[in-house]
Amino acid sequence: MSVLQSLVSGLRGGGIEVVDLTAPLSSETPILKLPEPFADTATFSLEEISRYDDRGPAWYWNNIHTGEHTGTHLDAPVHWVTAKEGEDVSQIATTRLVAPAAVLDVSERVAADPDFLLKISDLEAWQAEHGPLPEGGWLFIRTGWDARSDSQEAFLNANETGPHTPGVSVEAARWLADEAPIIGVGVETVGTDAGKAHAFEPPFPCHTYVLGAGKYGLTQLQNLRLLPPTGAVVIAAPLPIVGGSGSPTRVLALVER
Ligand code: MN
């Protein structure tokens, strides 16, 4: 059997499960809220063109309104000032859109501390148990935050001191950018940086270093709890928006059961 025939047979009841890591896209999908004076991304919405009516008697269709960074989405390098000359989302090699993923689970610690920051020592401990991070693959950080994704308020978890969501320390962000063989970092929160990362030095270190190194971000992932620590293969399919800084993305994981 060829490799692709084996894959098809695995998908048809032969032990390969397809796990959807994508948040449903609707006007209820939580979005990032930046403080004044910064501009925000659009909420997703549908604008009806026709629905089997005078405007189109046999057909239903919509225009969509969305930000590039609305819902489950991919951050391209050019999104950040540290990669101004970097790839836009249409330029990402298709070979990088199908890649292995490692999953690091910190959900118990995040439950105890929503401001949890991943450290280099956490990455080293994971590697000691599971082996090196995948060459040309993703690191997905499982925080359990997807359980909050049906509520904008719970998802952003903000109070008078700002948003409180987990992320990556400055040192770990630099390590993931410069030392790790990965192509990017995936998270369940609204962005790859912590809620309080605006006050870090540098601000938003995951964006600064990881995108600055020509790597990618994937955000608002769901169902990471269904993935093994190693062995999943991820298909991340952003729209090839020419000149785009990112795109809503369908993210699927193939998992052997
Ligand atoms: Mn983004």
Side-chain angles (χ1 to χ4, degrees):
M1 210 171 5
S2 77
V3 174
L4 283 179
Q5 283 172 333
S6 304
L7 174 62
V8 169
S9 122
L11 291 166
R12 287 183 183 155
I16 299 176
E17 185 184 345
V18 181
V19 179
D20 198 345
L21 306 183
T22 320
L25 258 181
S26 77
S27 58
E28 305 298 309
T29 304
I31 56 166
L32 181 67
K33 288 286 179 201
L34 295 173
E36 294 284 344
F38 304 119
D40 276 320
T41 189
T43 296
F44 183 87
S45 66
L46 293 179
E47 175 199 358
E48 195 172 278
I49 305 171
S50 73
R51 192 159 193 157
Y52 331 117
D53 54 26
D54 291 346
R55 301 168 298 172
W59 51 94
Y60 165 54
W61 57 345
N62 299 294
N63 291 317
I64 59 173
H65 295 271
T66 185
E68 295 169 331
H69 299 252
T70 295
T72 302
H73 69 270
L74 187 143
D75 290 349
V78 75
H79 178 44
W80 217 250
V81 66
T82 45
K84 269 185 183 171
E85 309 300 323
E87 287 176 325
D88 71 47
V89 71
S90 73
Q91 295 171 324
I92 299 172
T94 50
T95 49
R96 303 187 95 183
L97 298 178
V98 183
V103 181
L104 196 164
D105 183 357
V106 292
S107 52
E108 280 182 27
R109 291 154 75 192
V110 170
D113 175 16
D115 290 314
F116 171 83
L117 297 178
L118 188 75
K119 307 279 190 305
I120 292 176
S121 56
D122 300 314
L123 292 156
E124 289 173 341
W126 187 93
Q127 292 197 117
E129 186 177 353
H130 300 288
L133 289 171
E135 181 86 38
W138 295 96
L139 171 67
F140 287 170
I141 304 168
R142 187 195 155 203
T143 55
W145 213 258
D146 60 340
R148 299 167 175 254
S149 59
D150 57 358
S151 159
Q152 169 86 16
E153 194 182 345
F155 201 67
L156 297 190
N157 199 38
N159 61 17
E160 62 286 351
T161 62
H164 296 276
T165 62
V168 177
S169 70
V170 172
E171 296 73 23
R174 194 185 292 123
W175 189 92
L176 290 167
D178 298 339
E179 309 289 332
I182 57 170
I183 57 165
V185 175
V187 298
E188 295 172 317
T189 42
V190 76
T192 54
D193 272 299
K196 57 181 186 179
H198 58 89
F200 293 1
E201 185 49 49
F204 308 108
C206 205
H207 287 81
T208 299
Y209 292 125
V210 173
L211 299 182
K215 297 181 177 181
Y216 314 119
L218 273 177
T219 73
Q220 276 177 260
L221 296 170
Q222 302 196 338
N223 297 325
L224 295 185
R225 70 186 180 283
L226 302 176
L227 304 191
T230 65
V233 173
V234 167
I235 301 160
L239 298 175
I241 301 168
V242 176
S245 74
S247 168
T249 297
R250 191 70 183 261
V251 187
L252 304 172
L254 306 184
V255 179
E256 282 193 68
R257 295 299 187 205

